[in-house]
Amino acid sequence: MSRVSVLRENKIDPHYFDTYASLMTAGNGYMGVRAGFEEDYPEQTRGMFVAGVYNKAQGQVSSDLVNLPDVTRFELEIENVNFSMHRGKILDFQRVFDLETGEINRELIWEHPNGKRFGLCFKRFVSKKKLHRVYAKIEITSLSGDADVRIRTGIDGQQTNFGTQHLVERSLRVFSETWMQGDYVTTQSGHDVAVTSMISAPGSFTAKNRQLLVTVNQKLAENEPFTLEKVSVIATSLETENPAEFGLGDIREAKGYEESLAESRDVWQEFWQDYRVEVTSESAFDQLALDFSAYHLEAMTPSHDERFSVGAKGLTGEGYKGHVFWDTEIFIAPFHLYNHPEKVRKLLRYRYLHLEQARKKAEKNGYQGALFPWESAFSGEEETPEFAAINVRTGKRQKVASALAEHHIVADIAHAVVNYYEASQDELFMEHDGLQMLQDTARFWLSRAVLKDGKYVILDVIGPDEYTEHVDNNAYTNYLAHENVYQTLRFMAKYGQKHTAFYDLCEAFLRKIYLPQPDASKLIPQDDTFLGKPEIDLSEYKARQGSQAILLDYSRAEVNEMQILKQADVVMLLYLLPNLFSEDIVGRNLDYYEEHTIHDSSLSKAIHAIVANRVGQQEKAYRFFEEACRIDLEAAPGGSDEGLHAASLGAIWLSTIFGFGGVAISDGSLHLNPRLPAGWKRLAFSFVWHGERLEIVLEQDTIRVTKQTTAPIEIHVFGEKHRMTTGLEI
Ligand code: BGC
């Protein structure tokens, strides 16, 4: 295996402070710590999040993933001047984020305003071995004679979520000259959060204004580095009865920085062993993007606990309030499914555990079965904010309609349940939890559809394209609902539940559900009215994609009345259910709808890449793929400030494996139809299928699959069926 990539920040540019704080977030699924610089800058937002710790502030309708007290800040007073990269002179600067381990290393040479020079090195990582621990190390070297330095660090409870304070202090304590602990509780959800820190040199403490700080004074001799280490343990009442006690116990066992990093690296190595996708490409950027997405997808997935799922920004920022969307099941879960399916079982269990809330939501809206919330957090109740940001032109707030009508999430979750079963063959899960989820979601569609002129139609919905609201018969929704009910029947039959009234109702639904067909010009109508709406030239908005610039020129209501897509919709359908239409129809719809799509959502590009690749538009596919990779890695200032685009990271993996790698699952069998981009020599990845890890190596004109056992596995390569025992080479 080649070395996993590193991400570099070579320039000090405050416009990008928050971008890099997101890009270099270190995490381990339990927590995520944004890469704020150790010293404060107004341009940067610190952030530390623990999966599942949400709170609803007074007067708010939805919860925030709580930004926890900070442990990353180190204030350096060198020769009576506070160190800042905006003060004195920076003679050398580099920050490197090692994706192999999640360690950040910033090195600089700073010239003090008094002319003396200092070498500074700041390192930090979140342990993958000990999930509660964050380690930091700073090293200061005076390069121009003796010097005085004062270092202040500690636990800072002044953190907020965009200004909202979610925690109150319970106690602040100091246990020796090096140990300290802050114990906090969330104001509404009542989670107890204890933060315990220990530093490697004695200091003096102060506790004031929700900050518990320790100050270390040090005399530096020329060229003799002074090192200070800090380890912090975060624990919450979600996993332990007494987080404060847990913190003290855990920190007592903590080893030094380097030894702990080595331990953590070993666990990351195991991850890379299984999950690494290696590409030999003309552009080194492709490998970086794959490593970047793999690192972050792992770092944001709470595999340790089935009560939590992955937020739209993972654990990398406050954006989307840490809420869970369809992003998880459709865009993120596959990355784990074909590597470690048990992680997806947990993600699905998160939904299963909240069936009751989903049933209540259905009932409240006059439906049966389970209507999963569009946005979900800890409680499993609907968390979508009532209003979006104020439209600065009209001064009015726009209602967010997704909670009321973006019902495709129900079928998306059902789709993920079936995918999980196909890949894992986990009967135990399927026969109970899986089937229950399928039946509840199918029941929802049966009650959601209405009979009109002998057909079941699904009225007043929002499809994946959120620029088109309150429409009838969104093709994506109808087809996915059909699939949902069809799969429910399949599994009811499999598990001996055929002779029930519900089974008959499902059959009747399948017979009568209206499935929009391609029209005379081969277009699948996105919904009943879409194709009759006026079109406008979107090039100006496409050039600024991701920024929702169109909403500055047009109101949402106006956008709704034109053929404008925010993101893949019919194309999303073509991606998820690849066997519905001929290649010719797929190509025609891809071209048409792409022209009308701004790609203002990060969920769009990579999906287009997959579908383009399937219809042989390889150049376009590669362009879409590269653009998808740039969403975070080359974000414009502001684009990724509030966190990374988790679904887009998942889609980078999807477009590599399901796009260029040509993997497809169809009717429960595994297919391989690779089409590598012209600039790729080799693509290698592993793929777990029916409990067996396949190693797949693709070159422009060879396919090699190896496996570990001789148990036969069926695989279709370019449509031809192979029964593979040890592997195959074509
Ligand atoms: C997209 C949704 C997505 C959400 C969270 C929105 O902008 O339109 O499809 O689920 O972001 O990523």
Side-chain angles (χ1 to χ4, degrees):
M1 188 165 72
S2 61
R3 198 202 184 285
V4 177
S5 316
V6 298
L7 178 67
R8 291 175 196 281
E9 183 183 15
N10 294 320
K11 223 171 71 193
I12 301 168
D13 182 347
H15 296 102
Y16 288 98
F17 280 5
D18 259 341
T19 310
Y20 278 98
S22 299
L23 295 180
M24 296 185 168
T25 294
N28 58 16
Y30 172 80
M31 66 171 133
V33 179
R34 280 169 66 76
F37 289 115
E38 283 69 9
E39 64 283 4
D40 269 338
Y41 296 97
E43 300 90 352
Q44 79 178 4
T45 311
R46 293 182 190 282
M48 177 165 79
F49 309 93
V50 166
V53 179
Y54 291 91
N55 188 60
K56 203 178 280 184
Q58 213 177 5
Q60 298 288 316
V61 291
S62 69
S63 317
D64 287 330
L65 181 68
V66 178
N67 194 349
L68 297 172
D70 173 70
V71 294
T72 61
R73 185 156 66 105
F74 284 82
E75 244 175 66
L76 262 56
E77 192 184 311
I78 302 177
E79 299 266 286
N80 295 319
V81 169
N82 272 347
F83 163 69
S84 156
M85 296 191 291
H86 296 335
R87 203 171 283 139
K89 256 195 228 151
I90 301 293
L91 304 177
D92 194 18
F93 164 85
Q94 172 161 240
R95 189 156 68 145
V96 177
F97 184 51
D98 187 350
L99 292 161
E100 189 171 293
T101 57
E103 188 195 29
I104 305 176
N105 184 2
R106 175 170 55 135
E107 288 182 7
L108 27 82
I109 296 180
W110 182 59
E111 189 177 288
H112 191 284
N114 71 9
K116 285 187 176 179
R117 292 182 176 185
F118 296 87
L120 304 174
C121 170
F122 301 87
K123 295 183 177 188
R124 191 193 304 161
F125 72 95
V126 169
S127 174
K128 192 160 171 58
K129 167 128 181 145
K130 297 287 181 183
L131 297 186
H132 300 266
R133 297 186 197 160
V134 189
Y135 288 84
K137 177 172 165 175
I138 64 172
E139 196 180 276
I140 313 171
T141 313
S142 169
L143 305 172
S144 338
D146 295 352
D148 287 316
V149 49
R150 169 179 294 181
I151 305 166
R152 187 176 296 133
T153 187
I155 303 168
D156 180 2
Q158 288 188 6
Q159 297 306 304
T160 64
N161 283 69
F162 298 125
T164 302
Q165 176 94 36
H166 284 295
L167 292 159
V168 288
E169 233 167 40
R170 271 186 160 168
S171 78
L172 296 180
R173 291 186 67 187
V174 169
F175 293 90
S176 69
E177 284 177 300
T178 57
W179 289 33
M180 64 201 111
Q181 185 172 68
D183 195 1
Y184 310 85
V185 66
T186 54
T187 53
Q188 165 269 336
S189 52
H191 299 310
D192 181 357
V193 180
V195 182
T196 313
S197 288
M198 178 173 73
I199 54 165
S200 60
S204 51
F205 288 87
T206 54
K208 207 175 152 192
N209 303 332
R210 299 199 300 276
Q211 292 178 321
L212 176 55
L213 299 175
V214 58
T215 306
V216 175
N217 290 306
Q218 185 67 31
K219 277 209 175 308
L220 302 180
E222 189 175 69
N223 290 330
E224 278 181 29
F226 170 68
T227 304
L228 185 72
E229 291 189 8
K230 178 179 181 185
V231 53
S232 302
V233 173
I234 324 300
T236 83
S237 50
L238 282 169
E239 70 274 355
T240 168
E241 239 166 63
N242 191 334
E245 208 175 276
F246 177 94
L248 293 177
D250 197 57
I251 214 157
R252 203 167 276 133
E253 287 166 16
K255 301 181 188 129
Y257 184 94
E258 297 301 336
E259 204 179 330
S260 305
L261 176 64
E263 277 180 4
S264 174
R265 173 179 286 122
D266 287 347
V267 186
W268 274 110
Q269 275 307 325
E270 289 167 23
F271 164 78
W272 289 112
Q273 209 61 48
D274 291 348
Y275 279 82
R276 185 90 194 285
V277 177
E278 267 187 292
V279 61
T280 311
S281 164
E282 276 168 6
S283 158
F285 179 71
D286 296 346
Q287 184 66 61
L288 171 65
L290 283 163
D291 289 341
F292 176 77
S293 57
Y295 170 82
H296 280 295
L297 288 165
E298 174 67 3
M300 62 177 58
T301 305
S303 310
H304 60 289
D305 198 321
E306 62 181 30
R307 290 172 300 166
F308 322 129
S309 187
V310 189
K313 303 280 183 197
L315 299 167
T316 66
E318 295 169 37
Y320 281 123
K321 295 170 168 277
H323 293 174
V324 181
F325 296 66
W326 69 313
D327 304 32
T328 306
E329 284 76 12
I330 297 296
F331 294 83
I332 298 166
F335 169 75
H336 292 298
L337 179 56
Y338 303 108
N339 277 300
H340 278 265
E342 73 284 357
K343 296 189 184 177
V344 175
R345 179 168 38 77
K346 287 189 176 158
L347 294 175
L348 294 172
R349 284 274 302 163
Y350 164 78
R351 297 292 190 181
Y352 176 82
L353 292 173
H354 293 307
L355 261 180
E356 214 31 63
Q357 288 81 7
R359 287 180 188 137
K360 281 204 183 110
K361 182 176 172 190
E363 197 186 328
K364 204 169 134 200
N365 288 273
Y367 307 121
Q368 292 170 13
L371 172 51
F372 285 103
W374 176 244
E375 297 183 28
S376 175
F378 181 64
S379 72
E381 277 159 22
E382 182 57 75
E383 295 275 0
T384 307
E386 214 177 330
F387 294 100
I390 288 182
N391 179 322
V392 289
R393 299 241 178 250
T394 62
K396 289 194 180 128
R397 278 183 185 275
Q398 178 80 34
K399 268 217 172 220
V400 179
S402 296
L404 304 174
E406 204 160 347
H407 291 165
H408 64 81
I409 187 163
V410 172
D412 301 330
I413 292 172
H415 186 76
V417 168
V418 175
N419 273 357
Y420 169 69
Y421 173 78
E422 302 290 20
S424 69
Q425 307 279 288
D426 181 349
E427 303 285 347
L428 220 60
F429 172 85
M430 201 59 189
E431 192 169 353
H432 184 257
D433 301 7
L435 185 59
Q436 188 65 63
M437 285 205 273
L438 285 182
Q439 285 176 314
D440 266 275
T441 47
R443 207 179 288 281
F444 166 74
W445 291 117
L446 264 51
S447 70
R448 181 65 175 80
V450 292
L451 202 55
K452 208 171 144 194
D453 304 329
K455 282 279 178 198
Y456 280 117
V457 290
I458 303 180
L459 307 179
D460 192 13
V461 293
I462 304 175
D465 162 28
E466 293 184 347
Y467 282 171
T468 310
E469 298 183 344
H470 301 299
V471 288
D472 299 339
N473 294 314
N474 167 258
Y476 177 91
T477 308
N478 286 26
Y479 275 98
L480 267 275
H482 175 276
E483 179 69 9
N484 190 161
V485 176
Y486 171 78
Q487 294 291 353
T488 307
L489 275 190
R490 176 184 155 206
F491 285 97
M492 281 173 74
K494 179 174 164 62
Y495 297 121
Q497 300 196 23
K498 222 171 159 176
H499 304 290
T500 59
F502 179 56
Y503 190 92
D504 297 341
L505 287 173
C506 288
E507 277 191 320
F509 176 90
L510 290 181
R511 270 197 305 275
K512 292 190 190 154
I513 172 90
Y514 167 60
L515 297 173
Q517 296 302 316
D519 64 12
S521 64
K522 298 184 181 171
L523 288 180
I524 305 158
Q526 180 171 312
D527 56 62
D528 282 355
T529 49
F530 187 86
L531 292 174
K533 291 176 178 173
E535 302 167 58
I536 56 164
D537 178 9
L538 292 175
S539 32
E540 178 191 340
Y541 304 108
K542 278 175 172 263
R544 287 187 282 160
Q545 58 195 222
S547 67
Q548 309 205 353
I550 190 141
L551 296 179
L552 296 177
D553 293 345
Y554 297 93
S555 70
R556 269 184 182 268
E558 285 167 330
V559 171
N560 203 33
E561 291 316 314
M562 295 185 278
Q563 290 194 44
I564 301 175
L565 284 83
K566 180 180 178 189
Q567 65 204 90
D569 193 299
V570 166
V571 173
M572 194 69 211
L573 168 66
L574 301 174
Y575 156 61
L576 278 186
L577 302 178
N579 294 332
L580 289 179
F581 302 104
S582 63
E583 196 170 311
D584 152 51
I585 301 269
V586 173
R588 163 85 174 119
N589 281 273
L590 172 70
D591 292 345
Y592 184 85
Y593 282 106
E594 201 284 322
E595 197 191 324
H596 295 81
T597 303
I598 302 181
H599 303 288
D600 266 345
S601 158
S602 66
L603 279 59
S604 196
K605 271 279 150 69
I607 299 301
H608 279 77
I610 300 176
V611 178
N613 205 51
R614 282 193 193 145
V615 294
Q617 300 184 10
Q618 274 159 290
E619 259 172 53
K620 216 189 229 179
Y622 185 64
R623 186 164 48 78
F624 287 142
F625 166 79
E626 290 248 280
E627 287 172 10
C629 293
R630 280 194 219 114
I631 289 174
D632 283 311
L633 279 170
E634 288 182 11
S640 298
D641 286 8
E642 293 172 13
L644 300 178
H645 300 82
S648 162
L649 297 171
I652 291 174
W653 184 88
L654 286 173
S655 53
T656 306
I657 307 303
F658 287 83
F660 307 125
V663 175
I665 314 298
S666 158
D667 295 329
S669 32
L670 179 60
H671 293 249
L672 204 56
N673 312 303
R675 278 183 179 154
L676 297 192
W680 286 15
K681 253 205 181 123
R682 180 176 180 271
L683 171 66
F685 55 96
S686 58
F687 194 87
V688 174
W689 181 248
H690 294 185
E692 175 127 43
R693 183 167 289 276
L694 310 177
E695 302 296 339
I696 301 178
V697 180
L698 307 172
E699 287 176 0
Q700 285 293 347
D701 39 31
T702 55
I703 298 174
R704 201 159 4 101
V705 184
T706 48
K707 58 198 278 295
Q708 285 152 348
T709 77
T710 51
I713 278 192
E714 203 178 279
I715 185 169
H716 301 247
V717 183
F718 295 123
E720 199 182 317
K721 191 152 114 184
H722 297 263
R723 200 166 164 273
M724 201 168 58
T725 47
T726 49
L728 66 87
E729 188 159 345
I730 289 171

